Amino acid sequence: MEKIKKKYRYLILLFVILILPFSFSQRNDPINAKPINDSTVGYYQSTTCKISLFEVLSKNLNTDEKLYINNNDYAGIECFGKVTGLDKVGDTFFLSIGTNTMVSIVLQMSLWFLLIFIFSKKRSEKIKISYLPAFANALLFTYQQISESRFYSQSNTYYSNTLEVNNYYILSYFFIFLLCSLAIKDLFENRYFNVLFFIPFIYLFPATFMGMNLNLYLLIFSFFGFQSLLLKKTNKFFNYIYAGFTIIWILNKKETINFFDTDKLRGFINSANNMLSTIFWVSVFYLVVNGIIYLLSNQKFNNNLVKLKDGFLISGSMITILGLLGSTSIIFNFFNFYIFGQNKRGMKDLESVAGNTWRGFASSAEFIGEFYAISLLITIYYYLSKSQKIIYKDLVFIALCLFGLYKSNNFAAIISLIGFSSYLILKIRYKVSLTNKQILGIVLIIIFLLGGVLFISDYQLLSKILIEEALLHSELFQFSDNYINFLYKERYFLEQDYMTLLEVDNNYTRASSSLLLLINIYTPKFDIPLVPNIIALLSAVSLFINRTELWGIFIAKYSPSITDAIFGYGPHQLSNYLYDHRIRLDVPEYKLNMLYLPHSSLLDSVLFFGISGVLIFILYCSIKIYRNNYNEGLFFYIFLFLILNLLKSDSLLYAPTFILFIGVFYKAFIEKINIK
Amino acid sequence: MENNLESIESQCGISPGDTSFKQIESNPNYIFENDPSFETIVLYDVDGNIVNVNSWVECAHYVNGGWSNLSPSTVPGDMIIFSGLVMITILYIILKKTYFSYGKN
């Protein structure tokens, strides 16, 4: 009985958080909602902040008009949940609803903490955590309001970054983050939740606060990052390396007034390019990594595969169902964004491209394809290791995840899943165990086969296509007509005389440093028979995996100094890459203002940590594998799966994949090694 | 503007009758004539700006543009939120002992 009463209390609380804020309006005024059509646009425009969302929906439930609900973060608190405007664009009415960021963050935080509370268990023995991390966390994230002033000034009408006692905006955010950190402290002291089983639900709940460049997981993991610092439970090797890199990032920082509106990366990327914001994100990255490792090291997995499997399957299935609902219903579309803390609004319909990306829940098709594939991989691993029949409910979840994987159109994830599944079947079911020599042999055969494919294909064409793509998007010749630019470049393409192309018209001054380097490497000083040029090989591979255009644009844009190339710009710093070097995209007009990310997490890592940072990581993992000093098992296979797919996707830029990656890396390489 | 008559009349009073808005809409420099029989009404926009209107036509014009006779809150929104947060924090500290009590599952 007590449990039922508790459940009703939670349901009421959930209702209060979700529904009430969008139902408030003054009942005693004569201003009521009307059916939305051409004649009532003016009415809604002149009665702003007076009609609630639910009033409007109640009058327009069966409307034939195309309607879309926008959120207006900039509006004041008196407009929260109410209509702030109505416009007609084409044949669609855009209804703007006020969602002031300060009110939104309180409501969303309450909702998510309530859910964590409901789905966690009471500890049998309370643990004690200091108050210090809570205050430090609150100060750190309040600091972000000042360091990324341009982002926040555009998203909140009350914004003020002056450091005064009566700056209620800053004080309010300090209290919000303090409240959040105290809730994290109290929750963790009294309730138990295993972060590993929590990870699949991070994909369902991106938990990015409305109108803010921040998500809940940064707050949670930073808190535990502070806790790990306090208890001196951080890794010294990582600390020294990171400290060295931080000094270089700060000394090498070139501030610009560039502003990145964060787009689909909102919540996990630096929007500014100044010293203050760099310090913030450098600190947050360090704390988040340490926080994740601290939590994992203090929690036992106990080989509870069934819980992990169920978490991924349930999360994947809910993303599929809710994504579909969001595409077909404007109400679900709006509330998915609010309840789950999506980075971007979900697609409005189920047309072919829209159905692929689950945008809203996922910022890219590759990202969600990888998630579905991992969910299925874990399920396959579970059933193989337990040798039991698939239960009916799992069949339903598997079908939903398969549908999601199919619609994501992520061919690489599908192929990797088939490959890893085949390996697991051989290893677990048929007890086939490969020696290192046999694995090497298989790899050599694959390389030989690929070489054969290249030999049959027009290798001459394949080998130069990446360089030419990069040259195409570089601002070389200065004609206003892009087509004339292309014709001039084409002459040199036909002769493969890239060096002369760079000399003509001083084009080399406008080419990126990475393009100059690549052309230098591509143009051989001497020829070794049968040994392919590395750039030529990369070019051929890029075409097979459909990355030629995107990597070509990356090469055209990426123009680092030597220090930037070796040490990177710092974690979450994309502004330098996006805006430092001027290029001229040779794409259709509608694609000109799109966000062109590197489309490879390896390249993203090079941007953030430089070649040295990436090499240190690769060396660390390689040494561990070479010395057999790792935990071979499910997490190692997920790690390899991610590595393979992240070579051609930007998924590490998104918090869920980043957190999963750190988690599996810890489980595979850092956790106390099982004796073999 | 004719479509918005209900809202306009609720704030400006009943329309005098044969009022035409076409002249106002077509002339950006239109000067409103004061109506001595019209009691001055104070209208506010969402930013708290104030305008005193001296004729029904002028009042209708401003109301149609989003102005209202309801004065926006004189207390800034961020101060309201701050006060609310202080209260929530106090409530949280008081209530947490009830919900985060030490004990068995």
Side-chain angles (χ1 to χ4, degrees):
Chain A
M1 192 63 187
E2 190 56 39
K3 273 191 181 173
I4 296 169
K5 275 189 192 168
K6 265 190 190 170
K7 278 190 183 162
Y8 277 120
R9 252 185 278 166
Y10 296 146
L11 276 169
I12 292 167
L13 258 171
L14 274 170
F15 174 80
V16 165
I17 295 167
L18 291 176
I19 308 298
L20 270 188
F22 296 94
S23 317
F24 286 131
S25 67
Q26 284 186 310
R27 301 286 172 197
N28 54 4
D29 68 21
I31 300 164
N32 298 312
K34 289 187 177 180
I36 290 174
N37 50 49
D38 289 328
S39 64
T40 54
V41 171
Y43 174 75
Y44 279 103
Q45 285 175 344
S46 61
T47 54
T48 54
C49 306
K50 293 196 172 56
I51 304 169
S52 73
L53 171 63
F54 276 103
E55 271 191 274
V56 178
L57 291 175
S58 64
K59 280 279 192 258
N60 291 276
L61 271 173
N62 299 314
T63 183
D64 293 325
E65 303 286 0
K66 268 189 179 176
L67 189 59
Y68 184 78
I69 306 171
N70 256 341
N71 55 295
N72 178 1
D73 301 319
Y74 194 77
I77 58 164
E78 71 280 3
C79 301
F80 191 90
K82 300 191 187 74
V83 177
T84 58
L86 178 68
D87 293 288
K88 189 175 184 186
V89 179
D91 60 353
T92 307
F93 288 95
F94 286 82
L95 182 74
S96 289
I97 299 295
T99 49
N100 178 271
T101 55
M102 293 159 98
V103 178
S104 300
I105 189 175
V106 172
L107 292 172
Q108 287 179 305
M109 230 166 36
S110 308
L111 169 67
W112 296 330
F113 277 124
L114 182 63
L115 287 170
I116 294 174
F117 181 83
I118 293 169
F119 289 103
S120 57
K121 290 182 184 169
K122 253 191 201 163
R123 283 186 188 272
S124 52
E125 215 173 286
K126 188 178 165 177
I127 61 171
K128 198 79 186 123
I129 300 177
S130 162
Y131 278 97
L132 224 53
F135 283 99
N137 220 26
L139 280 170
L140 177 67
F141 287 97
T142 308
Y143 167 76
Q144 191 202 14
Q145 296 289 322
I146 299 165
S147 65
E148 292 184 56
S149 55
R150 195 160 159 189
F151 180 92
Y152 287 105
S153 63
Q154 292 178 353
S155 65
N156 197 314
T157 188
Y158 304 119
Y159 182 80
S160 168
N161 62 353
T162 54
L163 292 172
E164 293 167 342
V165 173
N166 60 355
N167 184 343
Y168 294 108
Y169 175 85
I170 292 291
L171 283 172
S172 298
Y173 270 109
F174 176 78
F175 263 90
I176 286 168
F177 295 130
L178 182 64
L179 210 52
C180 174
S181 304
L182 289 173
I184 294 168
K185 171 186 164 346
D186 291 327
L187 256 175
F188 196 73
E189 278 181 340
N190 297 276
R191 314 287 291 188
Y192 178 79
F193 57 92
N194 193 317
V195 74
L196 210 55
F197 304 133
F198 181 59
I199 285 176
F201 296 98
I202 292 176
Y203 285 85
L204 177 61
F205 284 88
T208 306
F209 297 112
M210 266 172 146
M212 296 187 70
N213 186 22
L214 181 64
N215 67 55
L216 180 69
Y217 308 113
L218 296 187
L219 284 161
I220 294 175
F221 293 124
S222 291
F223 176 92
F224 290 107
F226 277 119
Q227 177 70 356
S228 71
L229 270 174
L230 204 63
L231 299 175
K232 295 181 188 168
K233 287 191 175 178
T234 54
N235 183 285
K236 281 187 184 161
F237 173 71
F238 177 65
N239 288 347
Y240 289 136
I241 302 268
Y242 199 78
F245 271 73
T246 303
I247 291 167
I248 293 166
W249 289 327
I250 288 171
L251 290 175
N252 193 42
K253 183 74 198 169
K254 293 174 274 291
E255 291 188 329
T256 61
I257 56 166
N258 290 327
F259 171 68
F260 176 38
D261 70 355
T262 68
D263 202 86
K264 59 186 180 179
L265 303 174
R266 187 170 67 87
F268 203 50
I269 202 75
N270 190 354
S271 66
N273 193 21
N274 57 52
M275 186 62 76
L276 297 180
S277 63
T278 303
I279 291 171
F280 171 78
W281 284 102
V282 166
S283 310
V284 163
F285 180 86
Y286 175 79
L287 290 167
V288 165
V289 169
N290 275 298
I292 296 169
I293 292 173
Y294 172 80
L295 280 172
L296 286 171
S297 62
N298 279 296
Q299 293 168 342
K300 289 181 189 165
F301 175 53
N302 288 334
N303 216 29
N304 199 339
L305 276 178
V306 64
K307 212 168 169 180
L308 191 70
K309 178 243 330 161
D310 285 345
F312 272 93
L313 284 179
I314 291 169
S315 180
S317 304
M318 287 189 71
I319 288 171
T320 306
I321 294 168
L322 290 165
L324 286 168
L325 283 170
S327 303
T328 51
S329 158
I330 55 159
I331 300 170
F332 269 97
N333 191 289
F334 177 77
F335 279 100
N336 278 353
F337 185 71
Y338 166 59
I339 293 169
F340 297 96
Q342 297 174 343
N343 293 4
K344 265 191 121 164
R345 291 295 294 275
M347 289 298 186
K348 300 169 219 168
D349 49 46
L350 289 169
E351 296 305 311
S352 59
V353 174
N356 283 353
T357 62
W358 308 110
R359 196 155 285 162
F361 287 105
S363 301
S364 75
E366 289 94 3
F367 167 81
I368 201 64
E370 286 155 19
F371 168 70
Y372 282 124
I374 288 170
S375 306
L376 293 165
L377 185 67
I378 292 171
T379 309
I380 291 167
Y381 183 91
Y382 169 78
Y383 279 106
L384 284 171
S385 39
K386 300 294 177 194
S387 301
Q388 64 185 58
K389 283 188 183 162
I390 303 176
I391 56 178
Y392 181 70
K393 80 164 168 48
D394 278 0
L395 273 174
V396 176
F397 291 146
I398 289 167
L400 286 165
C401 290
L402 275 170
F403 174 76
L405 178 62
Y406 165 71
K407 289 301 271 178
S408 74
N409 230 12
N410 188 340
F411 189 65
I414 294 168
I415 293 291
S416 319
L417 176 64
I418 293 170
F420 275 86
S421 306
S422 308
Y423 174 75
L424 288 176
I425 290 168
L426 285 171
K427 188 176 170 66
I428 300 172
R429 179 81 195 273
Y430 297 105
K431 310 284 184 221
V432 171
S433 126
L434 295 168
T435 62
N436 285 343
K437 277 186 188 169
Q438 285 169 327
I439 293 171
L440 188 63
I442 292 170
V443 168
L444 283 170
I445 291 170
I446 294 171
I447 291 171
F448 186 72
L449 284 168
L450 282 171
V453 169
L454 288 175
F455 185 74
I456 297 165
S457 325
D458 187 351
Y459 183 68
Q460 186 79 347
L461 174 70
L462 295 178
S463 65
K464 60 180 187 161
I465 202 159
L466 184 63
I467 296 268
E468 288 180 2
E469 191 71 34
L471 284 165
L472 211 58
H473 300 293
S474 299
E475 201 187 29
L476 300 183
F477 298 102
Q478 305 259 273
F479 298 103
S480 55
D481 188 342
N482 244 7
Y483 184 62
I484 300 175
N485 279 327
F486 165 70
L487 288 173
Y488 269 74
K489 289 175 192 173
E490 198 191 23
R491 274 188 243 165
Y492 298 94
F493 288 177
L494 292 167
E495 292 159 19
Q496 285 193 67
D497 191 3
Y498 308 122
M499 294 296 239
T500 309
L501 169 60
L502 291 173
E503 290 295 324
V504 165
D505 211 21
N506 284 331
N507 280 328
Y508 68 91
T509 58
R510 289 182 293 276
S512 70
S513 54
S514 55
L515 177 60
L516 294 173
L517 177 68
L518 259 58
I519 289 176
N520 220 7
I521 298 172
Y522 180 76
T523 313
K525 314 287 183 289
F526 51 86
D527 185 26
I528 303 171
L530 296 176
V531 175
N533 181 286
I534 185 84
I535 304 301
L537 200 58
L538 184 65
S539 177
V541 167
S542 75
L543 190 68
F544 283 124
I545 61 172
N546 193 26
R547 284 289 176 266
T548 307
E549 185 187 34
L550 295 160
W551 287 356
I553 293 172
F554 172 81
I555 295 164
K557 278 165 102 64
Y558 184 48
S559 190
S561 63
I562 293 182
T563 317
D564 294 334
I566 296 172
F567 298 103
Y569 300 115
H572 309 285
Q573 314 297 322
L574 266 188
S575 292
N576 297 95
Y577 160 70
L578 289 173
Y579 304 116
D580 274 2
H581 186 77
R582 200 180 149 110
I583 63 165
R584 197 154 171 191
L585 289 170
D586 190 0
V587 295
E589 207 170 312
Y590 71 91
K591 281 179 146 186
L592 279 173
N593 292 318
M594 281 170 62
L595 174 64
Y596 286 97
L597 294 172
H599 277 76
S600 165
S601 293
L602 177 68
L603 295 175
D604 295 323
S605 305
V606 169
L607 291 178
F608 296 162
F609 306 106
I611 296 165
S612 59
V614 172
L615 282 174
I616 290 171
F617 180 79
I618 292 172
L619 208 62
Y620 177 87
C621 296
S622 305
I623 292 170
K624 284 270 190 178
I625 293 170
Y626 181 76
R627 288 181 181 169
N628 256 340
N629 195 9
Y630 64 99
N631 288 315
E632 191 181 348
L634 172 63
F635 298 109
F636 181 68
Y637 301 134
I638 298 175
F639 176 78
L640 287 179
F641 180 93
L642 280 172
I643 289 284
L644 208 59
N645 282 274
L646 291 177
L647 288 173
K648 69 175 290 275
S649 83
D650 287 308
S651 301
L652 262 191
L653 292 177
Y654 309 117
T657 303
F658 177 79
I659 293 164
L660 176 65
F661 185 81
I662 300 293
V664 297
F665 171 75
Y666 169 80
K667 295 298 275 183
F669 293 105
I670 302 178
E671 194 177 50
K672 191 174 170 190
I673 306 298
N674 293 324
I675 298 166
K676 291 201 176 131
Chain B
M1 212 181 284
E2 285 79 6
N3 297 329
N4 211 5
L5 204 54
E6 201 184 309
S7 173
I8 292 169
E9 286 189 339
S10 72
Q11 298 183 69
C12 306
I14 306 291
S15 157
D18 56 347
T19 317
S20 165
F21 298 104
K22 282 191 184 141
Q23 221 176 348
I24 305 166
E25 284 160 15
S26 63
N27 181 1
N29 296 317
Y30 184 84
I31 297 170
F32 293 100
E33 281 180 28
N34 281 0
D35 180 353
S37 62
F38 186 84
E39 199 177 321
T40 305
I41 294 174
V42 181
L43 297 175
Y44 308 87
D45 70 357
V46 288
D47 294 324
N49 296 311
I50 298 170
V51 67
N52 296 321
V53 293
N54 298 297
S55 68
W56 190 92
V57 169
E58 190 180 9
C59 180
H61 175 75
Y62 276 97
V63 169
N64 196 53
W67 292 66
S68 163
N69 59 0
L70 295 170
S71 133
S73 171
T74 51
V75 181
D78 51 351
M79 200 190 286
I80 296 172
I81 292 175
F82 175 70
S83 314
L85 283 165
V86 171
M87 286 195 305
I88 291 171
T89 309
I90 294 168
L91 259 170
Y92 174 78
I93 293 168
I94 295 167
L95 288 175
K96 76 168 185 174
K97 286 191 176 162
T98 317
Y99 287 100
F100 288 122
S101 56
Y102 174 101
K104 296 174 196 173
N105 285 335

